[in-house]
Amino acid sequence: MREVAESEHEVFAAALADGFGTPRDTADALALPALLDAPGMTAFVLELDGEFVATGFNILSGDQVGMFNGSVPPRHRGNGYYRALVTARLRHAVGSGARHAFTQTSPMSRPLYASLGFRLAETWTYLSAES
């Protein structure tokens, strides 16, 4: 696992696009250089043999950390990479002063976060235009 700096914003965007299965321009909006080096914000990637297998983004505010943009490309899911990255991100957050963590989970990631002590506090409904 390593942190991604502003100078590597394109690397982070490519890893996000691959992990989320989204167009690159969508991922670019989540990997703006100004975000990657902003105070309290840290982007992470987990690499295996030169390939990105997981991403994440922490936002630290006071003693709280929001954990966002966790992604794993479909071909790498089910191998424990995301668990490894989430636990490393939690250690980083605690080392930076966090005492509380929150995230928005998908149905896929909810069991992983629950196994790490997170609990479901709220359910959101997302609306989109019909295709």
Side-chain angles (χ1 to χ4, degrees):
M1 187 227 29
R2 69 181 177 90
E3 296 178 30
V4 181
E6 171 185 341
S7 62
E8 295 182 289
H9 66 95
E10 291 189 11
V11 167
F12 190 58
L16 283 171
D18 192 28
F20 284 134
T22 61
R24 175 60 190 270
D25 60 339
T26 301
D28 285 339
L30 300 173
L32 295 171
L35 287 177
L36 299 185
D37 276 353
M41 298 188 188
T42 310
F44 300 91
V45 291
L46 181 63
E47 294 176 81
L48 179 66
D49 298 325
E51 185 176 5
F52 299 108
V53 297
T55 66
F57 189 77
N58 285 7
I59 300 175
L60 183 69
S61 179
D63 67 348
Q64 298 186 45
V65 64
M67 302 177 71
F68 305 102
N69 296 341
S71 73
V72 176
R75 66 191 173 280
H76 293 296
R77 292 178 185 158
N79 293 307
Y81 301 136
Y82 192 59
R83 175 180 293 280
L85 184 62
V86 169
T87 56
R89 289 167 61 200
L90 285 167
R91 280 193 302 276
H92 180 275
V94 168
S96 299
R99 298 295 170 256
H100 307 278
F102 61 91
T103 189
Q104 288 178 269
T105 60
S106 67
M108 186 184 331
S109 66
R110 193 167 296 134
L112 173 121
Y113 279 96
S115 75
L116 295 171
F118 286 73
R119 64 178 177 80
L120 182 63
E122 192 169 315
T123 301
W124 292 20
T125 299
Y126 292 89
L127 305 175
S128 63
E130 291 185 42
S131 309

